């Protein structure tokens, strides 16, 4: 079955620690995205990538980093510079271009220890 | 960027009909998406509108008026499982990447 997989489902971060959230898709989609969702809020775009080895900052990229070395994979690192990392993180993918709905992973819930 | 506005919360009775509204900036409009998100889960795609009018898909329909910058999602024959957040999303400014609204939390009660 094609889909998009995020891991882990729950993650805890200590002060000063970097953590990496995994996102893998086997839908052969060109575009991938990372969103952050806080309680009662919509999805806010952190980073997106339209092609391998290229990515762009979204609205709230500070304190985060990404890589896109393979089409299938788009990991997100939450760095120690992100002072308020507690949130629900969603990865998505889509065929590139207009009119294409996004397919979402099940999310990773990150909390501070 | 885009400015999406939708109500925060709505309640309805099982078996009834509910309409969830969404307004957006018309400048650079390039289609509008509706997603459903159950608590703690991934959003799932419901509908996409780029032309004016009503698109029906079973119990769910979505309407768009481009001149008014307005869309709604219509849910008929409500079921308890329809209790979820409904997200309106639209790209703007020539981008294909949508900006999401805050979502409307729908509570269906018996």
């Amino acid at each position: 079955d094609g889909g998009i997989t995020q891991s882990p489902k729950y993650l805890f971060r200590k002060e000063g620690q970097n953590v990496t959230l995994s996102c893998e898709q086997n839908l052969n989609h060109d575009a991938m995205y990372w969103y952050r969702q806080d309680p009662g809020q919509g999805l806010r775009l952190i980073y997106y990538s339209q092609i391998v080895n290229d990515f762009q900052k979204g609205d709230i990229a500070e304190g985060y980093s990404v890589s896109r070395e393979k089409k299938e994979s788009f990991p997100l690192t939450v760095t120690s510079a992100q002072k308020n990392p507690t949130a629900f993180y969603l990865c998505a993918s889509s065929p590139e271009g207009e009119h294409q709905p996004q397919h979402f992973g099940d999310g990773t819930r990150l909390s501070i220890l | 960027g885009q400015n999406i506005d939708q109500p925060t919360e709505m309640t309805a009775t099982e078996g009834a009909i509910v309409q969830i509204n969404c307004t957006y900036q018309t400048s650079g409009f390039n289609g509008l998406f509706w997603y459903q998100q159950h608590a703690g889960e991934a959003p799932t795609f419901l509908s996409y509108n780029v032309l004016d009018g009503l698109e029906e898909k079973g119990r769910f329909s979505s309407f768009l008026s481009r001149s008014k910058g307005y869309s709604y999602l219509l849910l008929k024959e409500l079921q308890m499982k329809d209790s979820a957040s409904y997200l309106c999303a639209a790209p703007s400014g020539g981008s294909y990447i949508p900006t999401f609204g805050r979502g409307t939390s729908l509570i269906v009660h018996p």
Side-chain angles (χ1 to χ4, degrees):
Chain A
D1 273 336
I4 183 164
T5 303
Q6 288 186 242
S7 62
K9 192 170 178 67
Y10 300 95
L11 186 59
F12 297 91
R13 195 192 88 169
K14 295 179 182 178
E15 292 288 338
Q17 186 182 40
N18 293 352
V19 292
T20 297
L21 285 60
S22 170
C23 179
E24 304 276 332
Q25 55 101 359
N26 60 4
L27 298 166
N28 200 34
H29 287 167
D30 290 310
M32 296 188 74
Y33 316 79
W34 274 105
Y35 290 94
R36 169 180 173 139
Q37 188 174 35
D38 293 282
Q41 303 290 316
L43 279 60
R44 291 186 290 166
L45 183 65
I46 304 173
Y47 269 98
Y48 65 98
S49 168
Q50 296 171 280
I51 196 169
V52 174
N53 293 322
D54 187 47
F55 47 83
Q56 307 296 328
K57 291 183 180 180
D59 300 319
I60 56 165
E62 187 174 348
Y64 300 97
S65 66
V66 293
S67 63
R68 186 89 186 274
E69 296 177 2
K70 299 185 299 182
K71 187 175 184 178
E72 302 79 18
S73 178
F74 191 41
L76 173 75
T77 297
V78 184
T79 75
S80 57
Q82 173 48 248
K83 298 305 179 189
N84 184 22
T86 297
F88 189 47
Y89 290 87
L90 285 159
C91 179
S93 70
S94 72
E96 191 187 344
E98 301 172 349
H99 321 308
Q100 302 293 343
Q102 292 168 311
H103 298 251
F104 287 85
D106 288 334
T108 293
R109 193 166 296 280
L110 176 62
S111 302
I112 292 288
L113 279 179
Chain B
Q2 183 56 270
N3 187 19
I4 306 280
D5 193 30
Q6 51 182 133
T8 303
E9 187 175 293
M10 300 181 71
T11 59
T13 305
E14 194 176 12
I17 299 173
V18 71
Q19 178 175 311
I20 302 173
N21 297 326
C22 171
T23 59
Y24 62 89
Q25 290 176 332
T26 57
S27 170
F29 177 73
N30 195 20
L32 186 140
F33 297 88
W34 283 97
Y35 290 84
Q36 179 192 60
Q37 185 181 25
H38 286 98
E41 297 183 9
T44 55
F45 170 72
L46 290 177
S47 67
Y48 175 72
N49 294 71
V50 67
L51 299 176
D52 290 347
L54 186 69
E55 300 247 353
E56 298 188 65
K57 271 189 194 178
R59 294 190 300 115
F60 291 9
S61 303
S62 55
F63 172 83
L64 179 70
S65 169
R66 289 175 294 173
S67 62
K68 296 181 180 177
Y70 167 69
S71 173
Y72 67 73
L73 184 68
L74 192 70
L75 290 73
K76 302 176 186 175
E77 301 169 18
L78 280 172
Q79 302 175 9
M80 299 297 289
K81 67 178 182 180
D82 297 329
S83 293
S85 183
Y86 291 86
L87 306 172
C88 174
S92 69
S95 168
Y96 70 88
I97 299 172
T99 297
F100 283 80
R102 295 187 169 210
T104 298
S105 177
L106 174 65
I107 301 168
V108 179
H109 55 83

